[in-house]
Amino acid sequence: AQSVTQPDIHITVSEGASLELRCNYSYGATPYLFWYVQSPGQGLQLLLKYFSGDTLVQGIKGFEAEFKRSQSSFNLRKPSVHWSDAAEYFCAVAARPGNQFYFGTGTSLTVIP
Amino acid sequence: DTEVTQTPKHLVMGMTNKKSLKCEQHMGHRAMYWYKQKAKKPPELMFVYSYEKLSINESVPSRFSPECPNSSLLNLHLHALQPEDSALYLCASSLTGGGHFTDTQYFGPGTRLTVL
């Protein structure tokens, strides 16, 4: 069955520490991959996306993600977390070809001073 | 302008009411989307309009009726809802449609709906 999994429901990091959020997918062919962030009471904002090419993708707000085909993963990273990064993070996939788009279950990030 | 606006911000309705949610964008986008997000859950795709035509309906109950009067406006008409329909309803738009989801989706802040 096709699925996208975010194993970590909640992560707490100290401000200034590095961050890695995990995302694993299970699809017949490599899907289009996305990371979105949702701040409290707000809609979602795209951080970055991967379709093909360089497996290390740079996004907004200092985030990057690495696609690893062998591990069916698309993990999000940030070298130094800021308090304003506290939010819900969703990995998302779009099947190719096809008309399917799914969000993962989300990871809630808390940043402590 | 990369803004998607949604009105109202909050809506409380009874199970016999008829109400509508409105979404608007002026970015020239030709695809618009409705999502439903329950508390502590990810958004779930409901409908996609591409070039003002309904292109995806994710088996949504008929008590939800989408409408796209023009390329800038998307409505969601609500009728005879159930308490379990209480959720945050998010609208999004993207440059093109076609159902391939490769274009960046820009999301509105959502309408928080409570059904009593």
Side-chain angles (χ1 to χ4, degrees):
Chain A
Q2 298 173 333
S3 67
V4 53
T5 305
Q6 293 180 246
D8 305 305
I9 295 173
H10 186 256
I11 284 181
T12 299
V13 299
S14 298
E15 191 168 15
S18 64
L19 171 70
E20 182 169 27
L21 303 181
R22 296 183 290 164
C23 174
N24 295 98
Y25 64 89
S26 174
Y27 276 78
T30 300
Y32 301 115
L33 297 158
F34 310 80
W35 274 100
Y36 282 84
V37 61
Q38 185 175 31
S39 297
Q42 298 190 21
L44 289 89
Q45 183 180 26
L46 179 70
L47 291 174
L48 44 79
K49 57 187 176 183
Y50 175 77
F51 296 163
S52 64
D54 192 344
T55 57
L56 187 61
V57 182
Q58 300 298 318
I60 63 171
K61 303 186 179 189
F63 285 94
E64 66 178 26
E66 185 171 15
F67 168 65
K68 292 185 178 180
R69 185 188 304 275
S70 62
Q71 298 177 19
S72 297
S73 69
F74 188 56
N75 294 348
L76 182 71
R77 300 194 295 246
K78 187 169 185 178
S80 178
V81 170
H82 188 262
W83 63 266
S84 60
D85 293 324
E88 189 82 19
Y89 290 80
F90 293 99
C91 181
V93 300
R96 63 169 122 185
N99 292 333
Q100 296 176 325
F101 184 77
Y102 299 110
F103 284 96
T105 48
T107 298
S108 177
L109 175 66
T110 297
V111 180
I112 56 177
Chain B
D1 181 9
T2 57
E3 189 178 24
V4 175
T5 59
Q6 291 188 244
T7 53
K9 287 189 182 349
H10 301 274
L11 178 62
V12 180
M13 60 185 291
M15 290 189 285
T16 59
N17 292 157
K18 284 185 181 181
K19 297 287 185 183
S20 296
L21 309 184
K22 178 180 172 182
C23 173
E24 201 160 5
Q25 57 87 15
H26 296 287
M27 295 179 278
H29 290 176
R30 303 309 302 272
M32 297 186 78
Y33 311 74
W34 280 117
Y35 290 85
K36 173 182 178 180
Q37 185 177 24
K38 302 279 280 183
K40 305 293 186 186
K41 296 291 186 183
E44 295 177 346
L45 184 65
M46 300 174 73
F47 303 104
V48 180
Y49 272 84
S50 179
Y51 296 91
E52 295 140 62
K53 286 184 169 44
L54 184 63
S55 62
I56 295 177
N57 177 342
E58 292 285 5
S59 302
V60 178
S62 59
R63 57 185 183 270
F64 295 91
S65 176
E67 179 196 19
C68 190
N70 59 60
S71 60
S72 299
L73 188 56
L74 183 67
N75 297 320
L76 186 63
H77 303 298
L78 314 171
H79 173 55
L81 294 193
Q82 304 296 310
E84 59 264 29
D85 297 320
S86 298
L88 181 68
Y89 288 84
L90 294 162
C91 174
S93 71
S94 67
L95 186 61
T96 62
H100 298 294
F101 301 100
T102 53
D103 288 332
T104 298
Q105 293 182 56
Y106 293 86
F107 283 80
T111 293
R112 189 160 300 281
L113 173 68
T114 302
V115 181
L116 301 176

